[in-house]
Amino acid sequence: MTLATAAAAGRPSVPRRSVPTPYPTWFFLPAAVIYGVLFLFPTLASLFFSMTRWTLFNWTFIGFGNFIQFFKEPFLVGGLINTLIYAALTSGLKVVLGLLFGVLLTSEIWARDYLRSVVFFPVLVSTVGVGITFTVLMHPTEGLINESLALIGVRGPGWLTDPRLALISVALVDVWKGVGLATVIYIAGIVSIPRDYYEAARIDGANAMQRFWNITLPLARPATVTVVLLSLIGGLRSFDLIWSMTRGGPGFTSDVIASVIYKQYQAGFYGLSTAGNVVLFVLVALIIVPLSIFLNSRDVSR
Amino acid sequence: MPRSKNWSVLAGFAAGLTVMTALSGSAFADTTTLSFLVPSGEENVARAQSLVKAFEAANPDIKIDIDTRPGGAEGDNLIKTRLATGEMSDVFQYNSGSLFQAINPQQNLVDLSGEPWQADVQDIFKKVVTAPDGTLRGAPIGTGMGGGIYYNKKIYSDLGLQVPKTWAEFMANNAKIKAAGKIPVIQTFKDTWTSQLFVLGDFFNVNVAEPDFATKFTANQAKFATSPAAMKGFEHQADVFKAGYLNEDFGAATYDDGLRKLATGEGAHYPMLTFAIGAIKTTYPEHIDDVGFFAMPGDDAAKNGLTVWMPDGLYISGSSEHIDAAKTFAAFVASPAGCEAQTAALGATGPYMVKGCSLPKDVPGAVADLLPYFGENGAASPALEFVSPVKGPSLEQITVEVGSGIRSPADGAALYDEDVKKQAQQLGLPGW
């Protein structure tokens, strides 16, 4: 779903003529059945169960009680703020770093292909594997990062155990892992800009900075839209990295909405966690749909 | 979304198990094959294997296959899902007390009230496997445990310290240990569950001060935040942090790190349940005699006693097709022969809940420290989770926050009171 949105976002829509198709509408049926069984039915069922107190063995209908409880959840407000911080931070850094790497890796530099694969490599590694590795590296006393800092006389902080730092540390690891994808999207975007513009600008006497601001940045806009949407959606529903690194800890300080929901599920509050998922679904839709419409309308009108 | 992913994994797992049981069932037409689900972890698997081996030798017509499941909250989910879908193994090991109440025992488990061996099971255990309708649904598997503080005997003898009976004595010991350059109190918040002992292990002292706390707590009349005795656990948790008595890496250390620091004498105290003796024995056998154990210190030395954890229960799934064979196995586990098989696998880790079971004379030091509390004149009280079905799921995060100075004890206690509300409502208790 996210990929489809993103792909559609990058392209102005082409008006289609209605041609009578030789295929009967029945051909939709297999897809409709799969869609209904695997998506529509669970979605409707979750809407229903989000309004029940559900133990898996039996359920009681309690109306909007779960939603009220979920919003009263003391960790939820913190989790909501953390989610927004996390999404904005990872998304922002991926755009900036992805663009920089994209420009760098499309220019004529030494070992370009090798560097491209180096930047992309972290994307291929399993998220949980990355999480566990960085947890070891970020250990406050025995981790490689702080031991290296100690060599130059700096006393490193508790990256994952200091409540002020934990969320930011995880976000930085997320950026390390995800920036490769943003870079690849930017490379594709930048490569598709016609060389003629750069030549014309150079003849007019534009320097490298001016060429970047006036040609690369505006014409790479579809790539920016894609990166922003993808990383924002990813950031809002981010779970696996946070769970494998801090489990929302220390305490509740790095909890995001997804981890709050998962904890409710673990505790056996199935109705409550289903309600949480409905809230997450609505939240992601509320942020992404207007943003996508906004970004794409600007794109078309240009 | 994490949720749906979990579901499909569970469904696949359950389906796979069904196929396996079906196949093995037809392969041994003349013998009955039972499936037996135990929590993963060295101690549990070793115990199950030893029990099954001894049982199969005595009952050649019954064969038992052992499956393992994850522990903790993940395991709770798996148990609930398999019970709800009717895919549960014939017999399984699971917590007694409040977690037992959460799996709807009346509907899902076979009634074992009428079994002859129930006469030999200690009453204290029967209470924690009793369904709301008053029937008994489980047999004891494993030994009773204590929740208190392990201490390193070498550090104690080097510094000439006495085992503390009050919190003031405990803190005075800590000051001396710190002055000697050792870690006074080990905390391991990477494994968040290890952070709950100061609160949960203090229940004996709560019970002495307010004997009706558990009843009132279940009825939504008593709260941690408004009961001075119950607040103590949260305050103690904050005290050791504020005094700077924790190991430097307390936020990132794991349970295994904690055991290492304790056994090798890096640290003096580690609040933990006594089941850790088994792990110390297998991992640091050369240090097993350096480790001792005492109950959570309270206010009054004369009234010091131990908060006790009951062993797990062995349950028979209501959907089992071999209930008679399963009952034979349960009877074996709850017999002196069953206790012997468990001791053969793990050594002595604590007292059994079956009359007629005995322990070898040569027990590890920490177990020797534990046994008197269970004896005739011992002072012991079951933990809150065995006398009240109400247990909030977020206690471990709250105690981590209180124990790392992120949240004040009063705030933590109030937050926990909010947390238990959901559990009580989920169980449909009156008064919530």
Side-chain angles (χ1 to χ4, degrees), chain A residues 53-57 69 73-74 135 139-141 155 161 245 251-252 262 264-270 272 274 277, chain B residues 1 3 6-7 73 77 80-81 83-84 103-104 108 190 248-249 251-252 393 397-398 400-401 406 415 422-423 425-426:
Chain A
R53 189 168 286 142
W54 183 25
T55 62
L56 289 188
F57 308 118
Q69 173 73 48
E73 202 61 41
T135 311
H139 190 283
T141 53
R155 195 184 148 84
T161 53
M245 290 184 73
F252 306 102
Y262 187 68
Q264 307 307 320
Y265 166 66
Q266 271 199 325
F269 305 140
Y270 301 103
L272 188 61
T274 311
N277 271 333
Chain B
M1 269 170 222
R3 174 110 210 262
N6 251 317
W7 271 105
N77 255 325
K80 282 178 193 159
T81 314
L83 283 172
I103 59 170
N104 204 348
N108 291 318
K190 170 82 180 156
E248 196 188 352
D249 60 348
Q397 279 90 28
I398 296 170
V400 164
E401 291 208 333
I406 303 174
L415 192 55
K422 281 182 289 178
Q423 177 72 25
Q425 288 177 342
Q426 180 89 353

Short mmCIF file of all heavy atoms in Angstrom, two decimals, chain A residues 53-57 69 73-74 135 139-141 155 161 245 251-252 262 264-270 272 274 277, chain B residues 1 3 6-7 73 77 80-81 83-84 103-104 108 190 248-249 251-252 393 397-398 400-401 406 415 422-423 425-426:
data_model
loop_
_atom_site.label_atom_id
_atom_site.label_comp_id
_atom_site.label_asym_id
_atom_site.label_seq_id
_atom_site.Cartn_x
_atom_site.Cartn_y
_atom_site.Cartn_z
N ARG A 53 -14.22 -5.73 25.20
CA ARG A 53 -13.18 -6.20 26.13
C ARG A 53 -13.02 -7.66 25.79
O ARG A 53 -13.90 -8.47 26.00
CB ARG A 53 -13.67 -6.00 27.57
CG ARG A 53 -12.60 -6.25 28.58
CD ARG A 53 -13.04 -5.77 29.93
NE ARG A 53 -13.00 -4.31 30.00
CZ ARG A 53 -13.90 -3.59 30.62
NH1 ARG A 53 -14.92 -4.15 31.22
NH2 ARG A 53 -13.79 -2.28 30.66
N TRP A 54 -11.85 -8.01 25.23
CA TRP A 54 -11.70 -9.28 24.54
C TRP A 54 -10.58 -10.08 25.19
O TRP A 54 -9.46 -9.61 25.31
CB TRP A 54 -11.38 -8.97 23.07
CG TRP A 54 -11.25 -10.13 22.15
CD1 TRP A 54 -11.80 -11.35 22.29
CD2 TRP A 54 -10.50 -10.15 20.94
NE1 TRP A 54 -11.46 -12.14 21.23
CE2 TRP A 54 -10.67 -11.43 20.38
CE3 TRP A 54 -9.72 -9.22 20.26
CZ2 TRP A 54 -10.07 -11.81 19.19
CZ3 TRP A 54 -9.14 -9.60 19.07
CH2 TRP A 54 -9.32 -10.87 18.54
N THR A 55 -10.88 -11.30 25.64
CA THR A 55 -9.85 -12.14 26.25
C THR A 55 -9.43 -13.29 25.35
O THR A 55 -8.70 -14.16 25.78
CB THR A 55 -10.34 -12.76 27.57
OG1 THR A 55 -11.46 -13.61 27.27
CG2 THR A 55 -10.76 -11.71 28.57
N LEU A 56 -9.87 -13.30 24.10
CA LEU A 56 -9.71 -14.40 23.16
C LEU A 56 -10.71 -15.51 23.46
O LEU A 56 -11.14 -16.22 22.57
CB LEU A 56 -8.31 -15.02 23.14
CG LEU A 56 -7.16 -14.21 22.55
CD1 LEU A 56 -5.92 -15.07 22.45
CD2 LEU A 56 -7.49 -13.67 21.18
N PHE A 57 -11.08 -15.70 24.74
CA PHE A 57 -12.03 -16.76 25.08
C PHE A 57 -13.45 -16.23 24.97
O PHE A 57 -14.37 -16.95 24.62
CB PHE A 57 -11.79 -17.28 26.49
CG PHE A 57 -10.36 -17.69 26.72
CD1 PHE A 57 -9.59 -17.06 27.67
CD2 PHE A 57 -9.78 -18.69 25.95
CE1 PHE A 57 -8.27 -17.43 27.86
CE2 PHE A 57 -8.47 -19.07 26.14
CZ PHE A 57 -7.71 -18.43 27.10
N GLN A 69 -9.97 4.59 27.28
CA GLN A 69 -8.88 4.04 28.08
C GLN A 69 -7.54 4.28 27.39
O GLN A 69 -6.56 4.67 28.02
CB GLN A 69 -9.11 2.54 28.27
CG GLN A 69 -7.97 1.81 28.94
CD GLN A 69 -7.89 2.13 30.41
OE1 GLN A 69 -8.89 2.10 31.13
NE2 GLN A 69 -6.69 2.47 30.87
N GLU A 73 -4.31 6.37 28.77
CA GLU A 73 -3.07 5.64 29.04
C GLU A 73 -1.94 6.64 29.31
O GLU A 73 -1.62 7.45 28.45
CB GLU A 73 -2.76 4.82 27.79
CG GLU A 73 -1.87 3.64 27.98
CD GLU A 73 -2.44 2.60 28.92
OE1 GLU A 73 -3.64 2.29 28.89
OE2 GLU A 73 -1.65 2.11 29.71
N PRO A 74 -1.32 6.58 30.51
CA PRO A 74 -0.35 7.64 30.85
C PRO A 74 0.85 7.68 29.90
O PRO A 74 1.46 8.71 29.71
CB PRO A 74 0.09 7.28 32.27
CG PRO A 74 -0.38 5.90 32.52
CD PRO A 74 -1.52 5.63 31.61
N THR A 135 22.92 -2.23 19.92
CA THR A 135 22.75 -2.28 21.36
C THR A 135 24.07 -2.66 22.01
O THR A 135 24.47 -2.08 23.03
CB THR A 135 21.67 -3.32 21.74
OG1 THR A 135 20.53 -3.09 20.94
CG2 THR A 135 21.30 -3.20 23.19
N HIS A 139 26.63 -0.06 24.43
CA HIS A 139 26.67 -0.37 25.86
C HIS A 139 27.45 0.73 26.59
O HIS A 139 28.52 1.13 26.14
CB HIS A 139 27.32 -1.74 26.07
CG HIS A 139 27.20 -2.27 27.46
ND1 HIS A 139 27.97 -1.80 28.49
CD2 HIS A 139 26.38 -3.21 27.99
CE1 HIS A 139 27.64 -2.44 29.60
NE2 HIS A 139 26.67 -3.30 29.33
N PRO A 140 26.94 1.23 27.71
CA PRO A 140 27.55 2.41 28.34
C PRO A 140 28.99 2.19 28.81
O PRO A 140 29.78 3.13 28.79
CB PRO A 140 26.63 2.72 29.52
CG PRO A 140 25.84 1.48 29.75
CD PRO A 140 25.72 0.80 28.42
N THR A 141 29.35 0.98 29.25
CA THR A 141 30.71 0.80 29.75
C THR A 141 31.55 -0.14 28.89
O THR A 141 32.74 0.04 28.77
CB THR A 141 30.71 0.25 31.20
OG1 THR A 141 29.89 -0.92 31.22
CG2 THR A 141 30.17 1.27 32.17
N ARG A 155 34.24 10.85 28.01
CA ARG A 155 33.39 9.91 28.70
C ARG A 155 32.04 9.89 27.99
O ARG A 155 31.28 10.85 28.08
CB ARG A 155 33.22 10.35 30.15
CG ARG A 155 32.67 9.26 31.04
CD ARG A 155 32.44 9.83 32.43
NE ARG A 155 31.31 9.16 33.04
CZ ARG A 155 31.41 8.00 33.67
NH1 ARG A 155 32.56 7.41 33.79
NH2 ARG A 155 30.34 7.43 34.19
N THR A 161 20.61 4.11 27.65
CA THR A 161 20.12 4.04 29.02
C THR A 161 19.83 5.41 29.60
O THR A 161 19.16 5.53 30.61
CB THR A 161 21.14 3.32 29.92
OG1 THR A 161 22.41 3.94 29.77
CG2 THR A 161 21.26 1.86 29.54
N MET A 245 16.00 -2.61 20.32
CA MET A 245 17.08 -1.87 21.00
C MET A 245 16.74 -1.49 22.43
O MET A 245 17.55 -1.64 23.32
CB MET A 245 17.45 -0.62 20.20
CG MET A 245 18.15 -0.97 18.90
SD MET A 245 18.69 0.47 17.99
CE MET A 245 20.07 1.02 18.97
N GLY A 251 12.29 2.47 31.13
CA GLY A 251 10.93 2.78 31.57
C GLY A 251 10.04 2.94 30.35
O GLY A 251 9.87 2.03 29.57
N PHE A 252 9.49 4.14 30.21
CA PHE A 252 8.61 4.41 29.07
C PHE A 252 9.21 5.49 28.18
O PHE A 252 8.52 6.03 27.32
CB PHE A 252 7.24 4.89 29.54
CG PHE A 252 6.59 3.96 30.53
CD1 PHE A 252 6.59 4.24 31.88
CD2 PHE A 252 5.98 2.80 30.10
CE1 PHE A 252 6.00 3.39 32.79
CE2 PHE A 252 5.39 1.94 31.00
CZ PHE A 252 5.40 2.23 32.34
N TYR A 262 1.84 -2.71 21.28
CA TYR A 262 2.34 -4.07 21.42
C TYR A 262 2.35 -4.51 22.88
O TYR A 262 2.04 -5.65 23.19
CB TYR A 262 3.75 -4.17 20.82
CG TYR A 262 4.25 -5.58 20.78
CD1 TYR A 262 3.67 -6.52 19.94
CD2 TYR A 262 5.30 -6.00 21.59
CE1 TYR A 262 4.11 -7.82 19.90
CE2 TYR A 262 5.74 -7.31 21.56
CZ TYR A 262 5.15 -8.21 20.71
OH TYR A 262 5.59 -9.51 20.69
N GLN A 264 0.28 -3.55 25.18
CA GLN A 264 -1.10 -3.88 25.58
C GLN A 264 -1.47 -5.28 25.09
O GLN A 264 -2.11 -6.05 25.78
CB GLN A 264 -2.10 -2.88 24.98
CG GLN A 264 -1.80 -1.43 25.25
CD GLN A 264 -1.61 -1.16 26.72
OE1 GLN A 264 -2.33 -1.69 27.56
NE2 GLN A 264 -0.61 -0.35 27.05
N TYR A 265 -1.00 -5.57 23.86
CA TYR A 265 -1.28 -6.89 23.28
C TYR A 265 -0.59 -7.98 24.10
O TYR A 265 -1.19 -9.00 24.44
CB TYR A 265 -0.79 -6.89 21.83
CG TYR A 265 -0.69 -8.25 21.21
CD1 TYR A 265 -1.83 -9.01 20.97
CD2 TYR A 265 0.54 -8.77 20.86
CE1 TYR A 265 -1.73 -10.26 20.40
CE2 TYR A 265 0.65 -10.02 20.28
CZ TYR A 265 -0.48 -10.76 20.06
OH TYR A 265 -0.38 -12.00 19.51
N GLN A 266 0.68 -7.73 24.46
CA GLN A 266 1.41 -8.70 25.26
C GLN A 266 0.74 -8.95 26.59
O GLN A 266 0.74 -10.05 27.12
CB GLN A 266 2.82 -8.17 25.53
CG GLN A 266 3.81 -8.54 24.48
CD GLN A 266 5.22 -8.40 25.00
OE1 GLN A 266 5.51 -7.51 25.79
NE2 GLN A 266 6.09 -9.27 24.57
N ALA A 267 0.17 -7.89 27.16
CA ALA A 267 -0.45 -8.02 28.47
C ALA A 267 -1.80 -8.72 28.38
O ALA A 267 -2.43 -8.97 29.40
CB ALA A 267 -0.62 -6.64 29.10
N GLY A 268 -2.25 -9.02 27.17
CA GLY A 268 -3.50 -9.74 27.02
C GLY A 268 -4.71 -8.84 26.89
O GLY A 268 -5.83 -9.32 26.94
N PHE A 269 -4.50 -7.52 26.74
CA PHE A 269 -5.63 -6.61 26.54
C PHE A 269 -5.89 -6.52 25.04
O PHE A 269 -5.56 -5.54 24.38
CB PHE A 269 -5.32 -5.22 27.11
CG PHE A 269 -4.93 -5.26 28.55
CD1 PHE A 269 -3.92 -4.45 29.04
CD2 PHE A 269 -5.59 -6.10 29.45
CE1 PHE A 269 -3.55 -4.49 30.37
CE2 PHE A 269 -5.23 -6.14 30.78
CZ PHE A 269 -4.20 -5.33 31.24
N TYR A 270 -6.50 -7.57 24.50
CA TYR A 270 -6.60 -7.67 23.04
C TYR A 270 -7.52 -6.59 22.46
O TYR A 270 -7.23 -6.02 21.42
CB TYR A 270 -7.06 -9.06 22.65
CG TYR A 270 -6.12 -10.12 23.13
CD1 TYR A 270 -6.42 -10.90 24.24
CD2 TYR A 270 -4.89 -10.30 22.52
CE1 TYR A 270 -5.52 -11.84 24.71
CE2 TYR A 270 -3.99 -11.24 22.98
CZ TYR A 270 -4.30 -12.01 24.08
OH TYR A 270 -3.42 -12.92 24.55
N LEU A 272 -8.12 -3.63 23.76
CA LEU A 272 -7.45 -2.35 23.90
C LEU A 272 -6.37 -2.18 22.83
O LEU A 272 -6.25 -1.12 22.22
CB LEU A 272 -6.82 -2.27 25.29
CG LEU A 272 -6.24 -0.93 25.71
CD1 LEU A 272 -7.31 0.13 25.71
CD2 LEU A 272 -5.62 -1.05 27.10
N THR A 274 -6.26 -3.63 19.93
CA THR A 274 -6.91 -3.46 18.64
C THR A 274 -7.37 -2.02 18.47
O THR A 274 -7.19 -1.42 17.40
CB THR A 274 -8.11 -4.41 18.51
OG1 THR A 274 -7.70 -5.71 18.90
CG2 THR A 274 -8.63 -4.46 17.10
N ASN A 277 -4.50 0.01 17.48
CA ASN A 277 -4.16 -0.11 16.06
C ASN A 277 -5.08 0.73 15.19
O ASN A 277 -4.65 1.31 14.19
CB ASN A 277 -4.21 -1.58 15.62
CG ASN A 277 -2.89 -2.27 15.83
OD1 ASN A 277 -1.85 -1.62 15.80
ND2 ASN A 277 -2.92 -3.56 16.04
N MET B 1 1.90 -4.46 10.25
CA MET B 1 1.71 -4.15 11.67
C MET B 1 2.12 -5.34 12.53
O MET B 1 1.89 -6.48 12.15
CB MET B 1 0.25 -3.83 11.92
CG MET B 1 0.01 -2.34 11.76
SD MET B 1 -1.73 -1.98 11.75
CE MET B 1 -1.77 -0.79 10.45
N ARG B 3 1.05 -6.75 15.06
CA ARG B 3 -0.03 -7.57 15.55
C ARG B 3 -0.37 -8.69 14.58
O ARG B 3 -0.35 -9.85 14.94
CB ARG B 3 -1.21 -6.64 15.74
CG ARG B 3 -2.45 -7.31 16.12
CD ARG B 3 -2.83 -7.01 17.52
NE ARG B 3 -3.54 -8.16 17.98
CZ ARG B 3 -4.85 -8.24 18.01
NH1 ARG B 3 -5.56 -7.20 17.68
NH2 ARG B 3 -5.43 -9.32 18.41
N ASN B 6 2.24 -11.37 14.13
CA ASN B 6 2.23 -12.34 15.22
C ASN B 6 1.17 -13.39 15.03
O ASN B 6 1.37 -14.56 15.29
CB ASN B 6 1.95 -11.61 16.53
CG ASN B 6 3.20 -11.58 17.37
OD1 ASN B 6 3.87 -12.60 17.45
ND2 ASN B 6 3.51 -10.46 17.95
N TRP B 7 0.00 -12.90 14.59
CA TRP B 7 -1.11 -13.82 14.42
C TRP B 7 -0.78 -14.90 13.41
O TRP B 7 -1.01 -16.08 13.65
CB TRP B 7 -2.33 -13.06 13.94
CG TRP B 7 -3.13 -12.56 15.06
CD1 TRP B 7 -3.20 -11.28 15.50
CD2 TRP B 7 -3.97 -13.32 15.91
NE1 TRP B 7 -4.02 -11.21 16.58
CE2 TRP B 7 -4.52 -12.45 16.85
CE3 TRP B 7 -4.30 -14.67 15.95
CZ2 TRP B 7 -5.39 -12.87 17.83
CZ3 TRP B 7 -5.17 -15.09 16.94
CH2 TRP B 7 -5.70 -14.19 17.85
N ALA B 73 5.85 -12.64 28.46
CA ALA B 73 4.59 -12.20 27.88
C ALA B 73 4.30 -12.89 26.56
O ALA B 73 3.15 -13.17 26.22
CB ALA B 73 4.61 -10.69 27.68
N ASN B 77 0.87 -15.13 25.63
CA ASN B 77 0.06 -14.99 24.44
C ASN B 77 -0.14 -16.30 23.72
O ASN B 77 -1.23 -16.62 23.26
CB ASN B 77 0.77 -14.04 23.47
CG ASN B 77 0.11 -12.70 23.46
OD1 ASN B 77 -1.11 -12.64 23.60
ND2 ASN B 77 0.87 -11.66 23.33
N LYS B 80 -2.60 -18.51 25.59
CA LYS B 80 -3.98 -18.05 25.42
C LYS B 80 -4.51 -18.37 24.03
O LYS B 80 -5.64 -18.81 23.86
CB LYS B 80 -4.06 -16.54 25.66
CG LYS B 80 -4.04 -16.18 27.13
CD LYS B 80 -4.08 -14.68 27.31
CE LYS B 80 -3.75 -14.33 28.74
NZ LYS B 80 -3.28 -12.96 28.88
N THR B 81 -3.65 -18.13 23.02
CA THR B 81 -4.09 -18.36 21.64
C THR B 81 -4.38 -19.84 21.40
O THR B 81 -5.40 -20.19 20.81
CB THR B 81 -3.02 -17.88 20.66
OG1 THR B 81 -2.57 -16.61 21.07
CG2 THR B 81 -3.58 -17.79 19.26
N LEU B 83 -5.10 -22.15 23.60
CA LEU B 83 -6.29 -22.58 24.33
C LEU B 83 -7.55 -22.11 23.61
O LEU B 83 -8.53 -22.85 23.46
CB LEU B 83 -6.27 -22.02 25.76
CG LEU B 83 -5.35 -22.73 26.75
CD1 LEU B 83 -5.29 -21.95 28.06
CD2 LEU B 83 -5.83 -24.15 27.03
N ALA B 84 -7.52 -20.86 23.13
CA ALA B 84 -8.71 -20.30 22.50
C ALA B 84 -9.05 -21.00 21.20
O ALA B 84 -10.21 -21.10 20.81
CB ALA B 84 -8.50 -18.80 22.25
N ILE B 103 -6.18 -17.39 32.24
CA ILE B 103 -6.42 -18.28 31.10
C ILE B 103 -7.78 -18.96 31.20
O ILE B 103 -8.03 -19.96 30.54
CB ILE B 103 -5.30 -19.32 30.90
CG1 ILE B 103 -5.12 -20.20 32.16
CG2 ILE B 103 -3.99 -18.66 30.53
CD1 ILE B 103 -4.21 -21.39 31.93
N ASN B 104 -8.65 -18.42 32.01
CA ASN B 104 -10.02 -18.92 32.11
C ASN B 104 -10.06 -20.42 32.43
O ASN B 104 -10.59 -21.22 31.66
CB ASN B 104 -10.75 -18.65 30.78
CG ASN B 104 -12.25 -18.59 30.97
OD1 ASN B 104 -12.75 -18.95 32.05
ND2 ASN B 104 -12.96 -18.15 29.97
N ASN B 108 -11.24 -23.89 30.23
CA ASN B 108 -10.20 -24.47 29.37
C ASN B 108 -9.48 -25.67 29.95
O ASN B 108 -8.83 -26.40 29.21
CB ASN B 108 -9.16 -23.41 29.05
CG ASN B 108 -9.71 -22.33 28.14
OD1 ASN B 108 -10.43 -22.63 27.20
ND2 ASN B 108 -9.40 -21.08 28.44
N LYS B 190 18.27 -4.01 31.72
CA LYS B 190 18.09 -4.41 30.32
C LYS B 190 17.02 -5.52 30.26
O LYS B 190 16.21 -5.54 29.35
CB LYS B 190 19.43 -4.90 29.76
CG LYS B 190 19.35 -5.56 28.40
CD LYS B 190 19.31 -4.55 27.28
CE LYS B 190 19.23 -5.25 25.93
NZ LYS B 190 18.65 -4.43 24.90
N GLU B 248 27.51 0.57 37.68
CA GLU B 248 27.52 1.69 36.73
C GLU B 248 26.63 1.41 35.52
O GLU B 248 25.94 2.30 35.02
CB GLU B 248 28.97 1.94 36.28
CG GLU B 248 29.15 3.28 35.61
CD GLU B 248 30.54 3.41 34.99
OE1 GLU B 248 31.39 2.52 35.23
OE2 GLU B 248 30.77 4.38 34.27
N ASP B 249 26.63 0.15 35.04
CA ASP B 249 25.89 -0.17 33.82
C ASP B 249 24.50 -0.74 34.13
O ASP B 249 23.98 -1.56 33.39
CB ASP B 249 26.68 -1.15 32.96
CG ASP B 249 26.96 -2.46 33.68
OD1 ASP B 249 26.74 -2.52 34.90
OD2 ASP B 249 27.40 -3.42 33.01
N GLY B 251 21.59 0.19 33.70
CA GLY B 251 20.56 0.31 32.66
C GLY B 251 20.75 -0.67 31.52
O GLY B 251 19.80 -1.01 30.83
N ALA B 252 21.98 -1.12 31.29
CA ALA B 252 22.26 -1.96 30.13
C ALA B 252 22.59 -3.39 30.51
O ALA B 252 22.70 -4.26 29.65
CB ALA B 252 23.42 -1.37 29.33
N PRO B 393 0.44 -5.16 34.13
CA PRO B 393 1.51 -5.60 33.22
C PRO B 393 2.70 -4.64 33.15
O PRO B 393 3.75 -5.02 32.67
CB PRO B 393 0.80 -5.67 31.87
CG PRO B 393 -0.33 -4.72 31.98
CD PRO B 393 -0.76 -4.72 33.41
N GLN B 397 8.28 -1.78 33.90
CA GLN B 397 8.75 -0.49 33.35
C GLN B 397 8.73 0.58 34.44
O GLN B 397 9.59 1.44 34.49
CB GLN B 397 7.87 -0.05 32.19
CG GLN B 397 8.21 -0.72 30.87
CD GLN B 397 7.43 -2.00 30.67
OE1 GLN B 397 6.34 -2.15 31.19
NE2 GLN B 397 8.00 -2.93 29.94
N ILE B 398 7.70 0.51 35.29
CA ILE B 398 7.59 1.52 36.34
C ILE B 398 8.75 1.39 37.33
O ILE B 398 9.36 2.39 37.71
CB ILE B 398 6.23 1.39 37.06
CG1 ILE B 398 5.09 1.68 36.07
CG2 ILE B 398 6.15 2.33 38.25
CD1 ILE B 398 3.71 1.35 36.59
N VAL B 400 11.65 0.18 36.72
CA VAL B 400 12.87 0.65 36.05
C VAL B 400 12.96 2.17 36.17
O VAL B 400 14.00 2.73 36.48
CB VAL B 400 12.91 0.22 34.57
CG1 VAL B 400 13.94 1.02 33.80
CG2 VAL B 400 13.21 -1.26 34.45
N GLU B 401 11.83 2.84 35.94
CA GLU B 401 11.85 4.32 36.01
C GLU B 401 12.15 4.80 37.42
O GLU B 401 12.95 5.71 37.61
CB GLU B 401 10.51 4.89 35.53
CG GLU B 401 10.30 4.68 34.04
CD GLU B 401 9.42 5.75 33.42
OE1 GLU B 401 8.57 6.34 34.12
OE2 GLU B 401 9.57 6.00 32.22
N ILE B 406 14.07 8.30 37.11
CA ILE B 406 13.28 9.03 36.12
C ILE B 406 11.95 9.47 36.73
O ILE B 406 11.38 10.48 36.36
CB ILE B 406 13.01 8.14 34.88
CG1 ILE B 406 14.33 7.66 34.27
CG2 ILE B 406 12.18 8.86 33.83
CD1 ILE B 406 14.18 6.66 33.15
N LEU B 415 1.04 5.39 39.36
CA LEU B 415 0.95 4.91 37.99
C LEU B 415 0.62 3.42 37.98
O LEU B 415 -0.16 2.95 37.15
CB LEU B 415 2.28 5.17 37.29
CG LEU B 415 2.33 4.99 35.78
CD1 LEU B 415 1.26 5.82 35.12
CD2 LEU B 415 3.69 5.38 35.25
N LYS B 422 -6.78 -1.90 34.46
CA LYS B 422 -7.11 -2.56 33.20
C LYS B 422 -7.22 -4.07 33.39
O LYS B 422 -8.12 -4.72 32.86
CB LYS B 422 -6.01 -2.28 32.18
CG LYS B 422 -6.10 -0.93 31.56
CD LYS B 422 -5.02 -0.73 30.53
CE LYS B 422 -3.67 -0.59 31.19
NZ LYS B 422 -2.58 -0.44 30.23
N GLN B 423 -6.24 -4.63 34.15
CA GLN B 423 -6.23 -6.07 34.37
C GLN B 423 -7.50 -6.49 35.11
O GLN B 423 -8.14 -7.49 34.78
CB GLN B 423 -4.98 -6.44 35.17
CG GLN B 423 -4.87 -7.90 35.54
CD GLN B 423 -4.56 -8.76 34.35
OE1 GLN B 423 -3.99 -8.30 33.38
NE2 GLN B 423 -4.96 -10.02 34.39
N GLN B 425 -10.38 -5.00 35.18
CA GLN B 425 -11.55 -4.89 34.29
C GLN B 425 -11.59 -6.04 33.30
O GLN B 425 -12.64 -6.60 33.01
CB GLN B 425 -11.52 -3.55 33.55
CG GLN B 425 -11.83 -2.38 34.46
CD GLN B 425 -11.72 -1.06 33.74
OE1 GLN B 425 -11.10 -0.97 32.68
NE2 GLN B 425 -12.29 -0.02 34.32
N GLN B 426 -10.40 -6.40 32.79
CA GLN B 426 -10.32 -7.50 31.83
C GLN B 426 -10.81 -8.80 32.47
O GLN B 426 -11.45 -9.61 31.82
CB GLN B 426 -8.86 -7.64 31.37
CG GLN B 426 -8.62 -8.75 30.37
CD GLN B 426 -8.80 -8.27 28.94
OE1 GLN B 426 -9.23 -7.16 28.69
NE2 GLN B 426 -8.48 -9.11 27.99
#
